[in-house]
Amino acid sequence: MRRARLTAVALAVVLSATACTGSDPEPGPTTTGAQPTSSAPADDGSVVVEVEHLGAPVELTVHPVQVVGEHALLTVDYTMGDDAPAGTNLSIAALLRNAGSFLNVGKLRLVDPEGMRAWEVGRDGGTSVSTSGDALNLAPGGSVTSEAFFAAPDATSVDVLFPYFGLVEDVPVVTGQDVGTTPEDLGATATAVYPEGGVEVFSVAYDGAASTQVQAEDATVTLASDVLFATDVSDLTPEAGAAVDAAAAQIAAAAQEGEVVVTGHTDDVGSDDYNLALSDRRAASVAARLGQTLGGGFTLRTEGKGETEPVASGTSPEARAANRRVEVRFTVAQAGQALEVTTGDVAVPEPTGPVGTAGSPVQVDVAGATWAVSATEVRRSGPFLVGSLEIERVSSGTGAPVGLFGDFAEGRLLSRGLSSTTLTAGAYGATLLGEGSYLYPADYLRGDADGDDARGVLADQFVDAPLSQGESVTVTVLWPDSGQDTVTVDAQGRFRITDVPVEG
């Protein structure tokens, strides 16, 4: 057993035992606790983290992930010390549950930072393949255990991302051990799905003219057609040619020599045949210009998709603008890197909300409540910058910080396939400011998983804890490593926190 660094302070949920029986309990509030401390080592490879919240010491023992066939079992013990305040009662299953569900630990995630993959707890319809139906109430001197099944990770170790508790790193993955629990014991049937996906990093140029997505070694740069072409035109203007030149220089600096695929897309206005031909011509125009800068080490291939592969649903002007695009796909030299591609010099935008610094919280008014937001830590961990943001309710009343990080998608962000619930209730809108782009939290495609979100987000995806005045929670965000020594956290239209030092 060994101690790992926990990258966010635990959330204290105070619930009475009766509150866990009559209705869906809400995760409750916390105040900032002590930093994690070491535990005595043991021989089973478990990772132990000790935290203190509301004066109650709580120890998390994250056991090695046990692989059996196609599935893997994650077991976590939660122990509260005898010296916790009398009457303290923490419902683990209310804290870690899937949004919209009752009692489970369905929001745990496994992350392989080296292989850039993420795994979610299995689901069978609306049921989580985990300890469910039991509140897992934790009282002074007590201990409870949760179990959850995932698809088996192809890794020797993984990090475990907890809602509110943060990122527990380097948990061993083991095989060949006897496992006393099966997915069927936790309610799974043959129809259960076990979501997993490759982790992607995503950035959007400040002017919205380009976006960049990197998954492992595969990169896609998306150029807005409205920046390059007039309506129904496939020839680049001199200004558009300069924009492609700027993008090409940045692509050449990041790419491995080899094939570059240029794909044209249109919106749904016009006939299928017309749009297909237009997308072909636009792809050819961009490829011809790219080739002048990329040089002989690259081969270019073009294709047109017309209106057949929209990234945004609907027929609104915003959706159609997002679908009019040219994509440039290539292989990067450094897998999973934070890649920014712009179509020219773009300045850091002026803040659109109150501004704070690393040493002073910024106060934000959202939906009739006032919140204080602090960036308590940002540090390097593998390919990520792991951030901890503390949110305190300043105003009177009780409620969750819904909308604190934003509440809708626009522009190139429409392509991510995230629901309004995730955009409103989670921390996805907490970006880092790069040289010319907003760097979003890492995310991953969820495969065959049910639900409204095509993607999962490597951040607290549902910050739904109701807080009263003076109470706070800490959320965790995994951003791509921008290489900066200090960073700026920006939630567009909400707040900005500057001069945050990067540790490690």
Side-chain angles (χ1 to χ4, degrees):
M1 187 182 299
R2 54 195 170 85
R3 178 252 189 186
R5 182 171 187 170
L6 186 68
T7 58
V9 180
L11 170 73
V13 182
V14 181
L15 298 170
S16 68
T18 56
C20 297
T21 59
S23 61
D24 188 359
E26 293 291 336
T30 184
T31 55
T32 301
Q35 292 298 313
T37 56
S38 299
S39 295
D43 298 328
D44 65 351
S46 297
V47 179
V48 174
V49 175
E50 295 180 352
V51 297
E52 179 182 296
H53 61 198
L54 296 181
V58 176
E59 181 179 271
L60 309 179
T61 301
V62 184
H63 294 274
V65 176
Q66 298 173 287
V67 173
V68 180
E70 297 179 349
H71 302 127
L73 175 65
L74 173 66
T75 303
V76 182
D77 299 329
Y78 311 81
T79 303
M80 184 175 290
D82 292 325
D83 53 345
T88 301
N89 194 7
L90 169 68
S91 173
I92 297 297
L95 175 64
L96 305 182
R97 78 193 193 282
N98 280 318
S101 62
F102 191 53
L103 296 169
N104 55 67
V105 293
K107 283 311 294 180
L108 298 175
R109 265 86 60 80
L110 307 181
V111 182
D112 175 13
E114 182 175 346
M116 292 294 281
R117 291 196 68 80
W119 294 262
E120 294 186 0
V121 177
R123 298 180 185 179
D124 197 344
T127 303
S128 172
V129 187
S130 68
T131 304
S132 301
D134 185 341
L136 299 180
N137 286 323
L138 185 59
S143 180
V144 296
T145 298
S146 72
E147 295 178 311
F149 274 96
F150 302 79
D154 183 18
T156 58
S157 66
V158 292
D159 299 342
V160 181
L161 182 59
F162 287 79
Y164 303 109
F165 287 167
L167 188 71
V168 178
E169 299 181 33
D170 297 325
V171 177
V173 177
V174 298
T175 59
Q177 297 187 356
D178 292 333
V179 177
T181 304
T182 67
E184 291 73 23
D185 292 334
L186 299 181
T189 68
T191 62
V193 295
Y194 297 84
E196 62 175 299
V199 175
E200 301 178 2
V201 296
F202 180 69
S203 65
V204 177
Y206 292 142
D207 59 4
S211 63
T212 305
Q213 171 184 297
V214 180
Q215 198 279 305
E217 296 179 345
D218 299 324
T220 300
V221 172
T222 300
L223 304 174
S225 287
D226 293 0
V227 175
L228 303 179
F229 304 104
T231 302
D232 294 328
V233 172
S234 58
D235 294 328
L236 294 170
T237 66
E239 293 80 8
V244 175
D245 291 345
Q250 295 162 82
I251 291 171
Q256 294 184 27
E257 291 187 342
E259 185 178 63
V260 175
V261 181
V262 183
T263 306
H265 300 268
T266 68
D267 61 22
D268 60 344
V269 177
S271 70
D272 293 350
D273 290 343
Y274 177 83
N275 285 332
L276 183 60
L278 178 63
S279 66
D280 273 326
R281 295 195 303 271
R282 287 180 168 180
S285 292
V286 171
R289 189 74 184 216
L290 283 172
Q292 297 175 20
T293 299
L294 292 180
F298 297 89
T299 59
L300 287 109
R301 178 166 61 88
T302 66
E303 57 186 12
K305 297 294 185 179
E307 61 187 80
T308 62
E309 296 183 0
V311 293
S313 59
T315 58
S316 68
E318 294 80 12
R320 283 175 167 159
N323 291 329
R324 295 190 296 267
R325 66 200 192 277
V326 175
E327 294 178 343
V328 183
R329 302 196 304 275
F330 56 95
T331 301
V332 293
Q334 180 182 345
Q337 69 184 96
L339 178 60
E340 298 185 57
V341 173
T342 63
T343 56
D345 294 332
V346 288
V348 175
E350 293 296 320
T352 52
V355 179
T357 64
S360 60
V362 58
Q363 289 203 356
V364 187
D365 294 324
V366 175
T370 302
W371 309 88
V373 184
S374 304
T376 57
E377 180 185 57
V378 175
R379 68 180 187 85
R380 287 191 165 87
S381 178
F384 300 118
L385 295 181
V386 183
S388 298
L389 304 177
E390 183 182 352
I391 304 167
E392 178 185 352
R393 186 180 181 103
V394 176
S395 57
S396 60
T398 300
V402 174
L404 182 61
F405 298 98
D407 53 13
F408 65 94
E410 62 182 350
R412 305 252 63 86
L413 191 58
L414 290 167
S415 68
R416 303 315 284 169
L418 295 170
S419 69
S420 58
T421 301
T422 294
L423 293 170
T424 301
Y428 187 70
T431 68
L432 295 184
L433 298 186
E435 292 184 5
S437 304
Y438 298 101
L439 304 177
Y440 281 85
D443 61 28
Y444 55 93
L445 282 171
R446 301 177 61 241
D448 296 330
D450 54 5
D452 296 330
D453 285 301
R455 295 177 180 273
V457 176
L458 293 185
D460 279 66
Q461 194 160 337
F462 300 103
V463 186
D464 56 357
L467 304 179
S468 298
Q469 188 175 31
E471 296 171 336
S472 64
V473 294
T474 300
V475 302
T476 302
V477 183
L478 275 63
W479 294 289
D481 189 346
S482 60
Q484 299 163 295
D485 294 326
T486 61
V487 295
T488 295
V489 180
D490 187 81
Q492 298 175 55
R494 295 295 190 264
F495 64 85
R496 179 175 292 181
I497 303 175
T498 66
D499 302 316
V500 183
V502 177
E503 301 177 12

